[in-house]
PDB file of all heavy atoms in Angstrom:
ATOM      1  N   ASP A1189       1.199  19.414   9.753  1.00 97.00           N
ATOM      2  CA  ASP A1189       1.139  21.015   9.816  1.00 97.00           C
ATOM      3  C   ASP A1189       2.244  21.596  10.815  1.00 97.00           C
ATOM      4  O   ASP A1189       2.395  22.853  10.819  1.00 97.00           O
ATOM      5  CB  ASP A1189      -0.179  21.518  10.064  1.00 97.00           C
ATOM      6  CG  ASP A1189      -0.512  21.622  11.558  1.00 97.00           C
ATOM      7  OD1 ASP A1189       0.213  21.162  12.426  1.00 97.00           O
ATOM      8  OD2 ASP A1189      -1.640  22.048  11.807  1.00 97.00           O
ATOM      9  N   ASP A1190       2.960  20.783  11.407  1.00 97.00           N
ATOM     10  CA  ASP A1190       3.974  21.298  12.392  1.00 97.00           C
ATOM     11  C   ASP A1190       5.319  21.533  11.644  1.00 97.00           C
ATOM     12  O   ASP A1190       6.332  21.810  12.227  1.00 97.00           O
ATOM     13  CB  ASP A1190       4.205  20.288  13.539  1.00 97.00           C
ATOM     14  CG  ASP A1190       2.879  20.372  14.421  1.00 97.00           C
ATOM     15  OD1 ASP A1190       2.148  21.320  14.423  1.00 97.00           O
ATOM     16  OD2 ASP A1190       2.757  19.338  15.166  1.00 97.00           O
ATOM     17  N   HIS A1218       6.457  25.756  10.223  1.00 95.00           N
ATOM     18  CA  HIS A1218       5.309  25.454  10.969  1.00 95.00           C
ATOM     19  C   HIS A1218       4.091  26.080  10.346  1.00 95.00           C
ATOM     20  O   HIS A1218       3.966  27.266  10.028  1.00 95.00           O
ATOM     21  CB  HIS A1218       5.558  26.136  12.311  1.00 95.00           C
ATOM     22  CG  HIS A1218       4.910  25.484  13.554  1.00 95.00           C
ATOM     23  ND1 HIS A1218       5.428  25.085  14.641  1.00 95.00           N
ATOM     24  CD2 HIS A1218       3.593  25.093  13.558  1.00 95.00           C
ATOM     25  CE1 HIS A1218       4.518  24.521  15.340  1.00 95.00           C
ATOM     26  NE2 HIS A1218       3.418  24.583  14.800  1.00 95.00           N
ATOM     27  N   SER A1220       0.707  25.396  11.892  1.00 91.00           N
ATOM     28  CA  SER A1220      -0.427  25.171  12.695  1.00 91.00           C
ATOM     29  C   SER A1220      -1.382  26.341  12.509  1.00 91.00           C
ATOM     30  O   SER A1220      -1.166  27.460  12.354  1.00 91.00           O
ATOM     31  CB  SER A1220      -0.001  25.115  14.093  1.00 91.00           C
ATOM     32  OG  SER A1220       0.841  23.855  14.285  1.00 91.00           O
ATOM     33  N   ALA A1221      -2.675  25.875  12.577  1.00 92.00           N
ATOM     34  CA  ALA A1221      -3.842  26.826  12.255  1.00 92.00           C
ATOM     35  C   ALA A1221      -3.897  27.403  11.031  1.00 92.00           C
ATOM     36  O   ALA A1221      -4.565  28.485  10.715  1.00 92.00           O
ATOM     37  CB  ALA A1221      -3.936  27.947  13.338  1.00 92.00           C
ATOM     38  N   ASN A1278       0.101  15.478  15.266  1.00 98.00           N
ATOM     39  CA  ASN A1278       0.145  17.009  15.587  1.00 98.00           C
ATOM     40  C   ASN A1278       0.414  17.132  17.112  1.00 98.00           C
ATOM     41  O   ASN A1278      -0.079  16.420  17.941  1.00 98.00           O
ATOM     42  CB  ASN A1278      -1.202  17.548  15.287  1.00 98.00           C
ATOM     43  CG  ASN A1278      -1.082  19.093  15.482  1.00 98.00           C
ATOM     44  OD1 ASN A1278      -0.364  19.818  14.808  1.00 98.00           O
ATOM     45  ND2 ASN A1278      -1.964  19.630  16.281  1.00 98.00           N
ATOM     46  N   ALA A1279       1.117  18.220  17.371  1.00 98.00           N
ATOM     47  CA  ALA A1279       1.358  18.648  18.732  1.00 98.00           C
ATOM     48  C   ALA A1279       0.240  19.463  19.191  1.00 98.00           C
ATOM     49  O   ALA A1279       0.249  20.730  18.987  1.00 98.00           O
ATOM     50  CB  ALA A1279       2.659  19.410  18.783  1.00 98.00           C
ATOM     51  N   THR A1292      -3.428  20.137  10.287  1.00 98.00           N
ATOM     52  CA  THR A1292      -3.375  18.645  10.347  1.00 98.00           C
ATOM     53  C   THR A1292      -4.617  17.964   9.768  1.00 98.00           C
ATOM     54  O   THR A1292      -4.452  17.154   8.792  1.00 98.00           O
ATOM     55  CB  THR A1292      -3.118  18.107  11.740  1.00 98.00           C
ATOM     56  OG1 THR A1292      -2.056  18.912  12.358  1.00 98.00           O
ATOM     57  CG2 THR A1292      -2.919  16.757  11.795  1.00 98.00           C
TER      58      THR A1292
HETATM   59 MN1  LIG B 583       0.285  21.779  14.474  1.00 83.00          MN
END
Side-chain angles (χ1 to χ4, degrees):
D1189 78 358
D1190 292 337
H1218 208 130
S1220 292
N1278 188 59
T1292 306

